[in-house]
């Protein structure tokens, strides 16, 4: 005979006290039973969240000893190689954290590694959302919030990297000032205001510190909370499979299974970051010394997320610079410094609305696409990744030149060509691969999978027996959306009585039709294809022999 267990009297009293005032029992029960789909790619966003938590905790620890001041002092700490060297209080306090605070260097390493993994997780998470179409209605707002989180995280990382006031971070701030100066008319004023005078001034570290530890984290925290609240309300997307529809979610309940799994994954993420911090040194500021405007070094690279900006500045030609009424417009800095950065955020942010306009697809999407079923979108995504990768590699053209004994200017010219040719080639190759996978999927759906069994027909022909696909495989293959035809775009141009919209005959309407045709024309349709039933051997066998040999 089973015995019902109750919570301790003290806990029941607290629970009743809270529920009598806020009526949270039913709400809590409903939310604890909320279902989350099971797939490893959904954990990418959680890695970003856990890294952000680690950043907050370690950041609080570092603020206890860091002094955000550019006041010059003479170092007399434990690191003998820099004793007697003039430096800012910011740099001296960072050395104090590294060499005099117990566990300080490890915590600073954890903070830096968590920042790198935080941004990497955001990027990979956004790529997963993009390639699976999880940004479509009704999740456009959440996609834009994700773009804002990504942009602020890059700025936050840049400011944090600059705080120690060592030589590499000072050079990064110098590049930032150069980009600010490239702003027409207002560049010099903005620079003087930000730095409190001529570069480097005496205020920049203090101002970056306030932005880094207070303003930007507060905005990031608010955006992350909003991101998860919207996710909670709209439900998670899921991949196609048995029982998974636009209105039905298949997965693990929030409590206890998902909560336990998420808690364990947090500690796993922390363990990986702590392990990297303990055994892989990063940003050893004590080896470079303090920043001075007259010092320079070679072979240094920014953190990975700023590599594309470094590369765009290095390879953009200066032949387009011009002056207007005596005011210089340095295109060679303005376009790669601000234009490329803007494209990184604006183009992905606009894509959900562009794709919806092209396809005319305004349906609610809770089931994610397989990337192969949207070849143009997937091709454009890979093209963007290729352009980013080329710029990222271009940021280390001096190291590549020295390592492979190639002329430095030659590497610059090669990257100038690759940044245009590479994305085009990547788009074409990716699209062809996706279409090939679509054809294979259609063949698998229609004819089943190869069993490896060879059988001889009465005619003497040898064939390989194809077996029926599993229900899960059939469900996935049949989930291919209607985007394979132009029906969506064409239907959007007529009303319910079949009368054509006059706007479709104008310039924008014609452009939309052309883009819709380009977006969907090559997709492989599965309309009319019946799933393999297991009652025949192979499509190449004569019809009568199929039935007689099963």
């Amino acid at each position: 005979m089973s015995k019902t267990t109750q919570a301790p009297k003290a806990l029941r009293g607290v629970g009743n006290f809270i529920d009598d005032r806020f009526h949270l029992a039913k709400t809590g029960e409903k939310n604890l039973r909320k279902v989350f789909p099971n797939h490893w790619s959904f954990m990418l966003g959680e890695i970003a969240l856990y890294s952000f938590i680690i950043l907050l905790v370690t950041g609080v620890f570092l603020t206890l000893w860091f002094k955000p001041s550019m006041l010059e002092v003479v170092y007399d700490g434990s690191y003998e190689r820099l004793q007697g060297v003039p430096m800012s209080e910011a740099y001296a306090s960072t050395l104090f954290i590294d060499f005099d605070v117990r566990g300080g260097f490890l915590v600073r390493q954890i903070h830096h590694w968590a920042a790198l993994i935080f941004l990497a997780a955001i990027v990979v998470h956004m790529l997963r959302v993009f390639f699976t179409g999880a940004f479509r209605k009704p999740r456009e707002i959440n996609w834009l919030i994700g773009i804002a989180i990504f942009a602020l995280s890059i700025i936050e990382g840049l400011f944090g990297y600059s705080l120690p006031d060592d030589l590499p971070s000072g050079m990064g701030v110098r590049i930032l000032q150069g980009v600010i100066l490239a702003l027409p008319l207002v560049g010099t004023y903005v620079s003087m205001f930000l730095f409190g005078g001529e570069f480097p001034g005496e205020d920049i570290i203090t101002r970056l510190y306030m932005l880094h530890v207070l303003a930007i984290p507060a905005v990031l925290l608010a955006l992350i909370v909003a991101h998860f609240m919207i996710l909670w309300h709209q439900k998670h997307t899921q991949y196609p499979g048995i029982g998974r529809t636009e209105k039905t979610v298949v997965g693990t309940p929030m409590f206890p299974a998902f909560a336990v799994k998420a808690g364990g994954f947090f500690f796993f993420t922390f363990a990986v970051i702590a392990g990297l911090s303990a055994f892989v040194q990063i940003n050893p500021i004590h080896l470079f010394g303090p920043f001075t405007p007259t010092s320079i070094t070679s072979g240094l690279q920014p953190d990975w997320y700023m590599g594309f900006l470094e590369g765009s500045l290095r390879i953009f030609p200066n032949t387009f610079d011009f002056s207007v009424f005596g005011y210089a417009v340095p295109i060679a800095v303005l376009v790669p410094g601000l234009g490329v950065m803007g494209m990184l955020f604006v183009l992905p942010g606009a894509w959900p609305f562009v794709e919806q306009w092209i396809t005319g697809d305004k349906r609610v999407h809770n089931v994610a696409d397989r990337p192969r079923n949207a070849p143009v979108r997937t091709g454009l995504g890979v093209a963007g990744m290729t352009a980013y990768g080329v710029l990222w590699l271009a940021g280390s053209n001096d190291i590549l030149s020295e390592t492979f004994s190639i002329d430095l200017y030659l590497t610059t010219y090669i990257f100038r060509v690759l940044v245009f040719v590479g994305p085009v080639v990547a788009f074409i190759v990716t699209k062809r691969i996706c279409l090939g996978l679509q054809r294979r999927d259609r063949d698998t759906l229609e004819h089943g999978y190869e069993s490896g069994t060879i059988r001889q027909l009465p005619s003497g022909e040898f064939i390989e027996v194809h077996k029926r696909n599993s229900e899960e495989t059939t469900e996935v293959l049949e989930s291919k959306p209607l985007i394979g035809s132009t029906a969506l775009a064409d239907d959007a141009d007529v009303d319910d009585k079949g009368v054509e919209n006059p706007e479709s005959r104008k310039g924008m309407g014609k452009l939309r039709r052309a883009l819709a045709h380009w977006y969907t024309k090559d997709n492989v349709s599965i309309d009319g294809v019946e799933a393999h039933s297991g009652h025949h051997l192979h499509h190449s066998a004569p019809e009568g022999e199929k039935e007689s040999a099963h």
Side-chain angles (χ1 to χ4, degrees), residues 150-199:
F150 178 45
L152 285 174
S153 299
I154 289 181
I155 298 173
E156 174 78 345
L158 173 63
F159 289 174
Y161 177 83
S162 305
L163 287 181
D165 200 30
D166 59 311
L167 183 56
S169 67
M171 294 174 63
V173 175
R174 183 61 164 171
I175 295 175
L176 173 64
Q177 191 236 3
V179 174
I180 293 174
L181 287 175
L183 294 171
L185 299 178
V186 300
T188 54
Y189 298 100
V190 174
S191 176
M192 294 289 284
F193 171 78
L194 181 63
F195 288 89
E198 293 288 346
F199 179 87

Side-chain angles (χ1 to χ4, degrees), residues 234-383:
Q234 293 180 338
K235 300 181 177 59
H236 209 295
T237 56
Q238 58 185 341
Y239 293 111
I242 297 177
R244 301 169 186 174
T245 67
E246 300 293 350
K247 297 182 179 180
T248 304
V249 181
V250 177
T252 302
M254 173 67 184
F255 185 85
F258 184 81
V260 172
K261 182 168 61 175
F265 195 56
F266 167 79
F267 288 106
F268 180 79
T269 303
F270 179 77
V272 171
I273 293 175
L276 286 171
S277 305
F279 298 106
V280 184
Q281 181 175 260
I282 187 172
N283 196 25
I285 65 166
H286 54 280
L287 299 181
F288 306 115
F291 172 74
T292 60
T294 57
S295 301
I296 193 171
T297 186
S298 62
L300 289 176
Q301 303 298 311
D303 283 339
W304 73 267
Y305 51 87
M306 294 300 297
F308 78 98
L309 181 61
E310 178 86 5
S312 62
L313 287 168
R314 291 191 183 195
I315 68 174
F316 200 91
N318 61 357
T319 55
F320 302 101
D321 296 349
F322 62 92
S323 299
V324 177
F325 302 113
Y327 291 96
V329 182
I331 298 297
V333 178
L334 187 62
V335 171
L338 295 177
V340 174
M341 179 74 81
M343 290 174 59
L344 181 66
F345 307 128
V346 173
L347 293 182
W351 179 252
F353 308 98
V354 173
E355 182 179 290
Q356 185 182 97
W357 178 74
I358 291 175
T359 63
D361 184 4
K362 298 182 179 180
R363 299 171 298 175
V364 171
H365 293 277
N366 293 321
V367 177
D369 277 343
R370 302 172 76 201
R372 67 186 66 183
N373 290 335
V376 172
R377 180 205 299 149
T378 303
L380 291 174
V382 175

